[in-house]
Amino acid sequence: MADPELRVPVSPSQLERAEECPLDWVISSLGGAAGSVQASLGTLVHHALETAQGPDPEALFAAVEKEWHKLPFDAEWESERGRRLAAAMTAGLADYLSEFAASDRELVGRETLFEIPIDRAVLRGMADRLERRSQADGSAEVTVVDLKTGRNPPSKADTETHAQLQAYQLGVVLGAFRLAAGEELPEGTHSGGARLLYVHPDATRGGGFVERAQGPLSDEAAQELSERVVKVSRVMAAGEFTARVEHHCSDPHKPGNCRLHIVQAVSHA
Ligand code: SF4
């Protein structure tokens, strides 16, 4: 890195992608990855959760419908199929919000930013929801919830080491989240873990939603994550990006699914 003052932003969602294949990461971060209707639909479902006033499935679906014209469907039947999917996902959100309303948790942040300087990297991201639960001793624990609109939840074992969830937890542990009006989480707040919330019908298999939970971040895991962030920031700041051709190139569940090195050229006989 030429400029010693330069800080390298590392997004929690891109950490594993850059680790697995630096070339795939740089292509996607320069806008070369193929966008998809599915990704745009996911953005609308996130918006519905962010603006939700309660567990009303119709209001949640209406929030998606309001922005529907922005989705680039090629044909009416695709749009209809997308609507059915959106209805299923917003119904799942409503189920989640009902369960939340009946719980002892309170919402303290949505789409909340955090930033953690680590060496010359800045781990920076945004969490979908911060939910707080008061403890008997007067302290509070905060759990981060990350909404996913994909169809393949990770295994329970992979969730335990999920880098994005660990990054959010580090944000809680270090008090790095900025709540509304610039407030911080009160001192003494500890992490209650982090959860992935899936609402795609292929993931929920008949239930409204399914979750994958990561236990509270240990000191060792926090240290390990910090080291990974520093290492990946060096990869991101480099002038050359290595292509790591491995099984992730053709794995539909992995981010490195750009197929750049595995699809044969049209001229290939
Ligand atoms: S095809 Fe594989 S090696 Fe090539 S850029 Fe994509 S993930 Fe990397």
Side-chain angles (χ1 to χ4, degrees):
M1 207 190 302
D3 182 353
E5 295 301 310
L6 200 67
R7 292 285 173 268
V8 183
V10 177
S11 144
S13 61
Q14 295 301 306
L15 183 60
E16 284 181 5
R17 182 172 210 150
E19 283 177 334
E20 288 206 318
C21 179
L23 180 61
D24 173 51
W25 169 78
V26 79
I27 291 168
S28 71
S29 57
L30 292 175
S36 68
V37 171
Q38 173 69 29
S40 308
L41 203 157
T43 303
L44 297 193
V45 174
H46 272 82
H47 174 70
L49 179 63
E50 185 194 350
T51 53
Q53 297 301 313
D56 177 355
E58 282 172 18
L60 286 158
F61 184 59
V64 172
E65 279 254 281
K66 206 169 154 202
E67 307 289 324
W68 199 254
H69 61 280
K70 294 182 179 168
L71 298 186
F73 291 107
D74 287 332
E76 186 52 32
W77 67 266
E78 281 186 62
S79 175
E80 270 317 305
R81 191 175 65 176
R83 266 198 176 79
R84 286 196 294 277
L85 179 57
M89 290 203 278
T90 48
L93 287 184
D95 282 357
Y96 176 76
L97 292 173
S98 289
E99 192 246 60
F100 171 77
S103 76
D104 57 356
R105 309 189 300 272
E106 60 172 323
L107 185 65
V108 289
R110 20 186 169 192
E111 300 285 317
T112 310
L113 289 163
F114 75 97
E115 203 171 284
I116 307 169
I118 308 173
D119 194 41
R120 285 159 69 184
V122 181
L123 181 61
R124 182 186 289 155
M126 184 187 281
D128 291 329
R129 287 171 71 86
L130 299 180
E131 297 178 358
R132 179 168 59 199
R133 176 186 277 131
S134 298
Q135 305 294 289
D137 63 3
S139 66
E141 67 170 29
V142 165
T143 303
V144 181
V145 179
D146 185 36
L147 171 64
K148 297 290 187 196
T149 54
R151 38 165 61 108
N152 298 298
S155 68
K156 288 181 180 164
D158 285 348
T159 307
E160 271 309 323
T161 54
H162 196 278
Q164 197 178 352
L165 293 185
Q166 288 182 333
Y168 293 141
Q169 288 208 60
L170 196 61
V172 172
V173 170
L174 299 179
F177 277 100
R178 293 289 161 270
L179 306 179
E183 282 173 40
E184 297 174 8
L185 291 171
E187 214 166 304
T189 302
H190 54 269
S191 175
R195 283 179 277 130
L196 298 169
L197 169 64
Y198 279 82
V199 289
H200 193 294
D202 287 355
T204 63
R205 295 166 191 250
F209 65 92
V210 70
E211 293 179 285
R212 289 286 182 274
Q214 182 178 77
L217 193 67
S218 67
D219 291 346
E220 296 73 34
Q223 179 60 32
E224 206 174 291
L225 179 71
S226 299
E227 286 163 13
R228 285 173 73 182
V229 170
V230 171
K231 202 165 160 196
V232 94
S233 72
R234 292 191 186 126
V235 170
M236 289 174 166
E240 292 176 5
F241 301 94
T242 310
R244 293 205 185 111
V245 185
E246 285 174 26
H247 64 278
H248 57 242
C249 301
S250 54
D251 185 340
H253 308 330
K254 291 277 184 179
N257 187 30
C258 59
R259 299 163 62 82
L260 191 66
H261 293 105
I262 54 170
V263 177
Q264 292 178 334
V266 178
S267 57
H268 184 90

